[in-house]
Amino acid sequence: MSLKSERRGIHVDQSELLCKKGCGYYGNPAWQGFCSKCWREEYSKARQRQIQEDWELAERLQREEEAAYASSQGAPSLTFSKFEEKKTNETKRKVQTVKKFFSPSSRAAPKKVFAAKWQADSQEVKASSPSINRQASLETERATKEFIDFLKVFRRPGQDILKQCRGFIEAMQHKKELNIEEQSECVQDFYQNMVDRLQSHSSFKGSPEGIEKIMDQIEKYIMTRLYKTVFCPETTDDEKKDLAVQKRIRALHWVTLEMLCVPVNEEIHEVYELVVRAITAVIEMDSRRVPREKLTCITKCSKQIFNAIKITKNEPASADDFLPTLIYIVLKANPPRLQSNIQYITRFCNPSRLMTGEDGYYFTNLCCAVAFIEKLDAQSLNLTEEDFDRYMSGQSSPKKHDSEEWSPEECAGMKQMYKNLNLISQLNDRQQRIISTAKQLEKDLIDWSEGVTKEVEDIIEKYPLDIKPKGQSVVAIDSDNVENDKLPPPIQPQMFLG
């Protein structure tokens, strides 16, 4: 049976409209012919299959490496010579792992030989994938070296950790078609799998601090490698949100400490230095690649704030004092790519750090501060709507401190800045008065002109002009006419002789 569209003249087979799975619902071409429910099921199954295939590949590689390791036990004295030979032919090899360099003789070898093998492994990591090598930078190379140096002390477990991380990075490089949320799920799943593997390993049982330290290094290594592809990707609207927040903060440059009820006295030199350090720390967050290091910048900023409040009030700061001060710091700093950094931390940070500890607490406060800034209005600052609109439009600015009242020890630049701001405010008020007076003068002139016009019209209406019609032309008094003789004789001039 077919359906016919009378408007377009298109014949469609009804069976082609149904879901491919046969559930009875209509399918969607965008979902490869499945309905929404069946598409989600198929996508979940495909994702699970992909994860299973990745793990099977990793286990197969591990078995091959263990077999190569077992075969090397028969000739322990040749291990280091083989290592030198392989090092010279490094460009011709396709697969090299850390485990191939470890044999019973290497465990008893001097520390110099052991360090040389780990150094060769660091070169191997850089050469194992051409695509990663092309994107490598000094920072990624440094992170790789630090990660390998950190894993040295763990021997066999360290080899397994490095292999798992390298396999995951390779897999992520081939999954660029995934959206950012799916990539975030992959990273979070890897974190959880690594925690489970470490907890099940005999070397790390009963040592949560050691596992947390290892997970920090794993996060640093992985996210340094993946930073360019997962931070502020083009498929998201993170950049658009960054510009909106930045524009909003610029428009709120006039907000003062008093409006936010911030218990910080910047006139105290030590407090002023702490405020500057807090601003520097939150700006520095954008230069970090690792989510944990970005959290460290937020924590550093928050601690400077607590110290500034403590010095000002001579008592420990409370949460009610901290949040307004953090809002003020964010307004003064206007950190670059603020929303992108928040989203990056949320998506790729180790969840144990966001859910517990002071890092998670300070990060939550930063998110609250940004949300407050986005919704800030006149009521939030105890201002009238008229004043708030004038400040936002730049027509006027709030009163600043009088530089004459400052002590001589205060910063000369700050005093000059506030003096200039006061002068600008006074000039703005004077300009407003002049504009108001000019408008009043214009209105008075218009009213006067209309009054004079009306008065003239009233007079003309009351005393109309009697204009006679044009008659004969006026004749000159000395012209020839019959009545000239009736005119008196002209006055003759008289002459007087002396």
Side-chain angles (χ1 to χ4, degrees), residues 479-497:
S479 63
D480 296 336
N481 57 67
V482 295
E483 297 181 353
N484 278 345
D485 55 349
K486 297 181 180 179
L487 294 175
I491 300 176
Q492 297 293 329
Q494 297 181 5
M495 299 180 63
F496 295 92
L497 300 174

Side-chain angles (χ1 to χ4, degrees), residues 79-80 83 98 100-103 105-107 109 111-124 148 152:
T79 303
F80 189 70
F83 160 71
V98 176
K100 288 185 179 181
F101 293 110
F102 287 90
S103 63
S105 61
S106 65
R107 296 175 185 173
K111 294 183 178 180
K112 185 180 296 185
V113 177
F114 185 74
K117 293 180 179 181
W118 277 97
Q119 184 177 1
D121 293 338
S122 64
Q123 297 176 359
E124 169 198 348
I148 292 177
K152 285 180 182 180

